[in-house]
Amino acid sequence: MGTHAAPRRRRPALFAAAAVTLLAGLLGLPRADGAPRSADACRTAGTTLPRGDCGPFWQVLAEDFNGDRVPLGAFSDCDHRADTSAAYCRGLRGEYRDNWWAYPTGWRDTANERQRGRSVAGVYHPEDTVSVGPAANGDGRMRVRMWRPADGGPVHAAAVVPRPVMQMKYGKYSARIKVTKPAAGYKSAWLHYGGGCEMDHPEGEWTASLSAFHHPCGGGRQGSFHGADDWTRWHTVSTEWTPGQVRFFVDGRQVGRDTRDVPDRPLSWVLQNESALEGPVAAPGSSAQLEITWVAAYAYGWR
């Protein structure tokens, strides 16, 4: 079950200790027991949902999906105040309506927009792609199962959006994910974008490698960073976006950093999953599935 923490004032007495902890993480200093520290400010390299504030970040969302069931069909009627912090899906109830939104049915995915000559693109259909429930071992998970109809037509894609961090400036964004059923023609590009700025992590075709990208706000060469070889293993992915800097992490390891024209405006975190932009297209009747075992998000700064 997730939590949506209200913003609160931090205790000044914690500042010095937190600053030391953050500095040690940034420098990759060893712990007293000799083990290397994760470079991630919240040490989000493990399998369990991190809870609580860390460094300059204060937690506003902690969701492990445990004990929750959101059947297919619930992520429906999402075209209400779309793409604003007040957006909601009428089909959701309780905490899920409070904490989650999805691109409405009928919105087209990136393969349509770029006109890359792709013979197959996608259309967002959260009502028949997104659900929440336990795995065989009881672990609660959000599932994104994209698919293409057997008679052809567009891929049914899904982009889900944590509402507590919609239109937020700076922050930290983490999740633990695994592609449990890969197939050609499907990908993710979890991103912040707007005003000519874009930060993507993780991104890649589900049958290829996992990467991060930074597209500077002023244009120019993108920053490209390899994160992991395989989507079909569990990975903890994190983006830390602070004034003048964005850093990308996979399993606690910093895989990329950029300081060129980093966004300084509020942006939303979009967990975008869609038809592939490169390589083979999705075959008729095919499907692929991504599972998320937890999501954590943080605001930036001392309050």
Side-chain angles (χ1 to χ4, degrees):
M1 182 72 69
T3 59
H4 177 184
R8 59 192 183 278
R9 184 170 295 277
R10 301 289 295 275
R11 290 177 292 173
L14 295 178
F15 180 82
V20 170
T21 299
L22 177 62
L23 179 61
L26 294 175
L27 296 178
L29 297 178
R31 300 202 306 259
D33 60 9
R37 284 192 181 275
S38 164
D40 185 339
C42 297
R43 311 292 179 257
T44 43
T47 61
T48 58
L49 170 69
R51 293 188 182 274
D53 306 339
C54 49
F57 301 105
W58 43 283
Q59 193 170 58
V60 295
L61 177 67
E63 177 59 80
D64 61 11
F65 307 110
N66 287 335
D68 298 345
R69 290 183 182 271
V70 181
L72 284 176
F75 273 86
S76 61
D77 196 8
C78 296
D79 201 4
H80 297 278
R81 302 172 185 168
D83 242 358
T84 73
S85 57
Y88 67 95
C89 298
R90 191 182 296 276
L92 294 175
R93 297 288 181 267
E95 285 189 358
Y96 277 86
R97 183 183 286 197
D98 292 341
N99 287 350
W100 295 92
W101 178 62
Y103 280 5
T105 301
W107 283 19
R108 302 192 304 171
D109 76 3
T110 311
N112 292 278
E113 297 168 2
R114 293 191 178 182
Q115 298 297 314
R116 297 171 64 98
R118 302 291 287 177
S119 59
V120 175
V123 175
Y124 292 111
H125 281 275
E127 79 287 350
D128 60 23
T129 55
V130 183
S131 62
V132 175
N137 65 359
D139 179 41
R141 298 178 187 176
M142 174 178 279
R143 294 180 178 85
V144 177
R145 178 185 175 271
M146 295 190 288
W147 55 284
R148 188 178 178 208
D151 60 356
V155 166
H156 285 221
V160 290
V161 185
R163 291 189 63 214
V165 291
M166 289 186 75
Q167 294 301 306
M168 190 171 78
K169 183 176 175 179
Y170 308 130
K172 176 178 172 60
Y173 310 88
S174 301
R176 189 159 177 83
I177 62 173
K178 178 182 180 180
V179 170
T180 54
K181 181 184 179 184
Y186 301 91
K187 70 165 291 187
S188 287
W190 291 17
L191 78 166
H192 294 79
Y193 78 100
C197 312
E198 186 169 333
M199 302 174 292
D200 306 88
H201 181 52
E203 180 173 1
E205 280 68 37
W206 287 357
T207 54
S209 60
L210 182 155
S211 299
F213 298 91
H214 174 236
H215 303 267
C217 298
R221 180 178 56 84
Q222 72 174 5
S224 175
F225 312 99
H226 175 73
D229 293 333
D230 192 350
W231 285 81
T232 61
R233 296 178 180 272
W234 282 108
H235 293 295
T236 299
V237 293
S238 297
T239 298
E240 291 184 4
W241 170 31
T242 54
Q245 177 176 253
V246 59
R247 301 198 301 159
F248 304 109
F249 302 86
V250 177
D251 301 327
R253 176 175 56 93
Q254 180 176 304
V255 299
R257 173 180 177 271
D258 210 337
T259 59
R260 299 170 301 134
D261 288 323
V262 174
D264 63 355
R265 56 180 289 168
L267 299 172
S268 296
W269 186 31
V270 182
L271 283 53
Q272 179 178 265
N273 311 282
E274 57 186 4
S275 60
L277 300 180
E278 299 177 353
V281 300
S286 67
S287 65
Q289 183 163 295
L290 172 78
E291 298 190 10
I292 309 167
T293 189
W294 56 256
V295 174
Y298 308 75
Y300 169 81
W302 294 89
R303 296 178 66 87

